[in-house]
Amino acid sequence: MRRGLDHFPFPVMAERAWSKFYIPGGKAASASYKTVPMHTKDTPRELSELCILANFVEVFLAREGHDNPVGINYLEKIQIPHLPSLYGAMLAGVGYILMGAGVPLKIPGVLDLLSCHKPATYALHVTGAEDGDDTTMTFVPSEFMERELVPLVRPKFLAVIASNTLAATMVKRANGRVDGFVIEGPTAGGHNAPPRGKLQLDEAGEPIYGERDQVDLGKIRELGVPFWLAGGYGSPEKVRESLAAGATGVQVGTAFAYCAESGLREDYKQALLEKVVTGDARVATDSLASPTGFPFKVAKLEGTLSEREVYSARPRICDLGYLREAYRDTDGKIGYRCPGEPVTVYLSKGGQLENTIGRTCLCNALVATIGHPQVRCGRYVERGLVTSGDDLAGIVRFMPQGELNFGAADVVNILLKN
Ligand SMILES: Cc1cc2nc3c(=O)[nH]c(=O)nc-3n(C[C@H](O)[C@H](O)[C@H](O)COP(=O)(O)O)c2cc1C
């Protein structure tokens, strides 16, 4: 972080965050992390600064040591941090912005404006909003700039899509250039697009996908923009198949999530790699877990929230709030709620009881999964939840015989083998 912050173009802002949050030697294991304000439409300046800085550092560090372009991925549905996050990533020279989990029609135009340090706006989806309500978020780079900068490179924009209709809509109606698509199927790790039509579940409670969920690559090719395939494409055979189908490449997540460089907690990583070797790795599509409402892939692992008892033992607490939904309250003001928060609180905000069932606090769980679990009252330590694609078992192809360890470069080298 320090190395990244030392290269941040606005040092006073970087120092503000450093002096407030840096603890020499690290925090005590039983101490809680400091909390920061939650995102709201008119986000406090401190939070915008943290978004700019965090995205800058993430991209800066990923760009070190090579000349290849680096992309960063956002979920459209998590709208409030978009503008400062994009600007921070762009200040670090991000080459690609990838966005799914929604319809990111207005992002290309935002990239055009931010690359010239011009003010940009983004409409916040507010459930129940009425005509005349102010739902526009505004970000003015000059309010954060400590000196003039030359224009930034406008990153390429790739929309992550799971249907031909969405691809065609993006090309026709986006407010700027769409440079390509990542076509992600329902076997991919993380969040998945829900099946088309009425949600039907199989005996294990997993969503059933059918013919209508298949993307017609012929129609994608007709759009004339590059595309990448994702969801179970992490093998040399699948790379070859994709290139033969006209794809520019593939997007792989699961294999990299388990490599030595990944930020996945080491004990979780090792335990799951052992399951991969013994043939016991299991992944389920949970249609309820994510407060976003999108199906979410969960790897079964003892001690994580994938287990019913661990899930039930967690007190419902909402203190990060990244996945909160904005809604119009009875006074016409914007309120924020999450189906993963305490049920009575959610209901008092007009939320529906059925939305709370099975919901997991993904915010705290995923932060715990990368090794930063919040500690409460010095005792309760948040548990993690690991997401993986359906082909978790297939990552055995990257593991040298007898070793539970492989690097990101091994993955790339094996994938590119002809
Ligand atoms: C741990 C993990 C986290 C992911 N998070 C995101 C995400 O935040 N946004 C997104 O669009 N895709 C996300 N994905 C999906 C990947 O970007 C990629 O499309 C997918 O992993 C490819 O399929 P695979 O899992 O079979 O390799 C995630 C995947 C994994 C494994």
Side-chain angles (χ1 to χ4, degrees):
M1 290 295 286
R2 179 77 264 183
R3 205 162 65 245
L5 291 178
D6 282 348
H7 288 83
F8 187 67
F10 313 134
V12 179
M13 189 197 302
E15 209 44 49
R16 242 189 322 268
W18 190 256
S19 54
K20 177 156 183 193
F21 293 103
Y22 178 63
I23 304 170
K27 77 168 183 65
S30 60
S32 305
Y33 283 98
K34 273 185 190 165
T35 51
V36 294
M38 287 197 208
H39 285 283
T40 51
K41 176 180 156 299
D42 301 305
T43 283
R45 183 184 172 103
E46 179 191 9
L47 202 47
S48 295
E49 290 192 359
L50 288 175
C51 279
I52 298 171
L53 290 164
N55 282 270
F56 175 89
V57 170
E58 193 79 13
V59 173
F60 174 86
L61 294 177
R63 290 192 68 203
E64 278 187 319
H66 62 91
D67 294 324
N68 294 314
V70 162
I72 192 163
N73 173 296
Y74 304 97
L75 302 176
E76 197 283 332
K77 188 143 190 179
I78 306 180
Q79 297 178 321
I80 303 181
H82 280 341
L83 298 173
S85 300
L86 288 166
Y87 188 61
M90 288 167 68
L91 284 173
V94 75
Y96 284 80
I97 299 294
L98 300 94
M99 198 178 285
V103 186
L105 284 171
K106 306 287 184 204
I107 293 293
V110 164
L111 301 181
D112 296 336
L113 290 168
L114 292 183
S115 62
C116 303
H117 309 284
K118 288 191 181 150
T121 58
Y122 202 77
L124 175 63
H125 173 81
V126 178
T127 303
E130 295 181 3
D131 285 350
D133 285 354
D134 176 14
T135 59
T136 304
M137 300 182 289
T138 304
F139 177 78
V140 182
S142 62
E143 290 176 0
F144 296 88
M145 295 169 75
E146 290 162 23
R147 62 182 168 91
E148 292 277 312
L149 291 180
V150 295
L152 305 167
V153 173
R154 192 270 200 192
K156 293 196 168 156
F157 178 70
L158 307 184
V160 184
I161 56 120
S163 84
N164 288 100
T165 317
L166 183 49
T169 306
M170 286 302 304
V171 168
K172 271 195 223 122
R173 293 189 26 223
N175 67 347
R177 203 178 69 231
V178 176
D179 298 284
F181 294 108
V182 174
I183 302 168
E184 197 188 70
T187 60
H191 286 93
N192 301 141
R196 312 199 88 192
K198 193 170 176 299
L199 179 67
Q200 291 186 317
L201 303 178
D202 66 13
E203 280 169 12
E206 299 190 40
I208 299 173
Y209 290 87
E211 287 268 299
R212 291 174 66 200
D213 301 304
Q214 302 269 349
V215 174
D216 179 341
L217 293 185
K219 285 193 185 144
I220 296 284
R221 284 190 292 268
E222 284 167 19
L223 294 174
V225 288
F227 63 93
W228 287 256
L229 297 178
Y233 283 86
S235 69
E237 301 78 34
K238 282 292 195 183
V239 173
R240 276 199 297 278
E241 189 188 299
S242 308
L243 297 178
T248 300
V250 299
Q251 176 169 276
V252 175
T254 299
F256 293 111
Y258 291 89
C259 70
E261 295 85 349
S262 149
L264 174 60
R265 245 169 84 159
E266 211 46 44
D267 53 342
Y268 289 177
K269 197 190 288 177
Q270 290 303 311
L272 281 160
L273 287 174
E274 269 171 36
K275 286 183 190 289
V276 167
V277 171
T278 56
D280 296 318
R282 300 280 176 274
V283 174
T285 311
D286 192 326
S287 59
L288 298 176
S290 175
T292 63
F294 287 100
F296 187 70
K297 283 274 191 295
V298 173
K300 304 271 184 202
L301 180 63
E302 296 73 19
T304 68
L305 292 160
S306 68
E307 292 193 303
R308 190 174 292 272
E309 314 77 66
V310 178
Y311 170 80
S312 309
R314 179 185 184 272
R316 279 187 176 236
I317 294 170
C318 176
D319 57 358
L320 295 177
Y322 308 133
L323 298 179
R324 294 191 309 171
E325 167 198 29
Y327 69 98
R328 184 184 213 269
D329 71 12
T330 43
D331 298 332
K333 296 205 192 77
I334 297 179
Y336 302 88
R337 65 189 174 203
C338 176
E341 71 187 331
V343 175
T344 46
V345 177
Y346 182 68
L347 298 183
S348 74
K349 297 174 182 172
Q352 302 295 309
L353 183 62
E354 62 264 29
N355 289 344
T356 65
I357 296 163
R359 295 290 190 225
T360 302
C361 175
L362 281 194
C363 297
N364 270 291
L366 295 182
V367 171
T369 304
I370 57 164
H372 301 294
Q374 183 59 297
V375 182
R376 305 189 187 282
C377 309
R379 286 192 313 270
Y380 178 79
V381 182
E382 287 283 0
R383 306 293 187 93
L385 187 69
V386 182
T387 183
S388 297
D390 286 349
D391 189 31
L392 173 57
I395 65 171
V396 73
R397 68 176 67 89
F398 305 110
M399 297 163 67
Q401 194 76 34
E403 280 181 45
L404 293 179
N405 191 18
F406 59 92
D410 299 329
V411 176
V412 174
N413 290 335
I414 291 175
L415 290 184
L416 296 183
K417 252 192 209 153
N418 292 306

